[in-house]
Amino acid sequence: MADTTAADTTVWKSAGRARRSTRNLRVRTSAAVMAVIVLAVLLVPPLAQLDQQAVDLSARLLPPSWDHPFGTDDVGRDLLLRCVYGLRVSLLVGLVAALVATVVGTAVGAAAGALGGWTDRVVMRAVDTLSAIPHLLLGIFIVAMFRPGVWPVVASVAVTHWLSTARIVRAEVLSLRGRPYVDAAVSGGASRRRVTVRHLVPGVLPQAGLAAVLMVPHAMWHESALSFLGLGLPSHQASLGNLVQSARGSLLAGDWWPTLFPGLLLIVPTLAVAGLAGAWRDRLNPRRRSELTL
């Protein structure tokens, strides 16, 4: 019986070590990929000293080579440089939109959870009503009211993506309201505003930060969808959505590289952010992490 128990314990420990090793490898790989992406976005444009809009019709639709690692597009522009500039713009849109949406969602969710009563009910019914409208449809309606540009896209993504953050923050605030230290602060005479600012809001910031990180790739995909439909950024401005949209004709003609590489630069950051966010989520929830490592 003792030997069986020892063997079971050894198996659990081995499985736990294997899971931890896999998780650590995933986190390191995701961090390395994000570091490469950030360095490329920051360093390639100033170091290359090339015009990403330079047209060379004699070099149109060249396949990937040493001179052009990603090939060239239908007017001879270097796709590697265009993809880096496009990723730069898409990341900017994603980061700013995620930050704005997180701030709005955190404020609304914290207010609804802290005030409670009819305020909570009215706010959450409004959130449910807006959530019933498809994000892309609402985003198209917003950007259609302005000229194509970065800031209408940022506003569109921010307005349509704060709802999930508001729900997460409200749920966390309701959970924190029952904690002993909050009860002690209320019993000690602290006002509702002081309890919210000193105890509730700091308690929800980790969850709000995780929501913001996960929102960045989602916002990038949203911007790409709008640009692909011709409603996002101007067609002459490099973004991943515009690059995929302009490569449709080339793909039908059998030239795969103008579509493949911008698409990969959408998928790879998404997977890297998902890997880092998974590790963050495990740290926020130690119980779940301990269960996973059994």
Side-chain angles (χ1 to χ4, degrees), residues 71-88:
T72 60
D73 63 7
D74 56 349
V75 292
R77 295 174 294 193
D78 183 75
L79 267 179
L80 174 58
L81 193 60
R82 294 273 292 169
C83 284
V84 171
Y85 273 96
L87 181 60
R88 192 181 194 179

Side-chain angles (χ1 to χ4, degrees), residues 2-18:
D3 293 341
T4 303
T5 303
D8 292 343
T9 304
T10 302
V11 171
W12 286 356
K13 288 182 178 179
S14 300
R17 292 194 189 98

Side-chain angles (χ1 to χ4, degrees), residues 34-246:
M34 287 304 301
V36 170
I37 290 174
V38 172
L39 289 175
V41 167
L42 294 177
L43 298 180
V44 168
L47 292 179
Q49 296 295 321
L50 297 173
D51 183 8
Q52 52 125 352
Q53 298 285 7
V55 174
D56 183 6
L57 295 179
S58 63
R60 62 186 301 271
L61 292 176
L62 294 178
S65 62
W66 287 109
D67 294 332
H68 303 284
F70 285 9
T72 60
D73 63 7
D74 56 349
V75 292
R77 295 174 294 193
D78 183 75
L79 267 179
L80 174 58
L81 193 60
R82 294 273 292 169
C83 284
V84 171
Y85 273 96
L87 181 60
R88 192 181 194 179
V89 173
S90 296
L91 274 176
L92 173 65
V93 172
L95 287 171
V96 176
L99 179 61
V100 174
T102 301
V103 171
V104 174
T106 301
V108 173
L115 295 175
W118 67 268
T119 303
D120 183 26
R121 291 193 292 272
V122 169
V123 169
M124 296 317 296
R125 294 299 77 75
V127 169
D128 292 339
T129 302
L130 291 175
S131 298
I133 305 174
H135 286 177
L136 186 58
L137 181 62
L138 183 57
I140 290 174
F141 176 76
I142 293 172
V143 296
M145 296 188 297
F146 304 94
R147 292 183 179 179
V150 172
W151 298 116
V153 175
V154 169
S156 168
V157 176
V159 167
T160 57
H161 287 74
W162 63 269
L163 305 170
S164 58
T165 303
R167 281 202 182 96
I168 293 171
V169 170
R170 173 186 175 269
E172 191 68 17
V173 167
L174 293 178
S175 174
L176 292 174
R177 283 174 56 179
R179 301 291 175 85
Y181 65 88
V182 175
D183 291 338
V186 174
S187 301
S191 64
R192 179 174 294 180
R193 178 180 177 276
R194 181 176 178 82
V195 170
T196 302
V197 173
R198 293 294 299 274
H199 300 291
L200 298 182
V201 172
V204 302
L205 287 181
Q207 293 288 352
L210 177 59
V213 171
L214 289 172
M215 201 181 302
V216 171
H218 190 75
M220 291 173 59
W221 283 89
H222 200 89
E223 176 275 320
S224 298
L226 291 174
S227 297
F228 183 82
L229 294 173
L231 297 170
L233 302 180
S235 57
H236 68 274
Q237 186 171 6
S239 75
L240 296 179
N242 279 340
L243 292 176
V244 173
Q245 195 275 341
S246 63

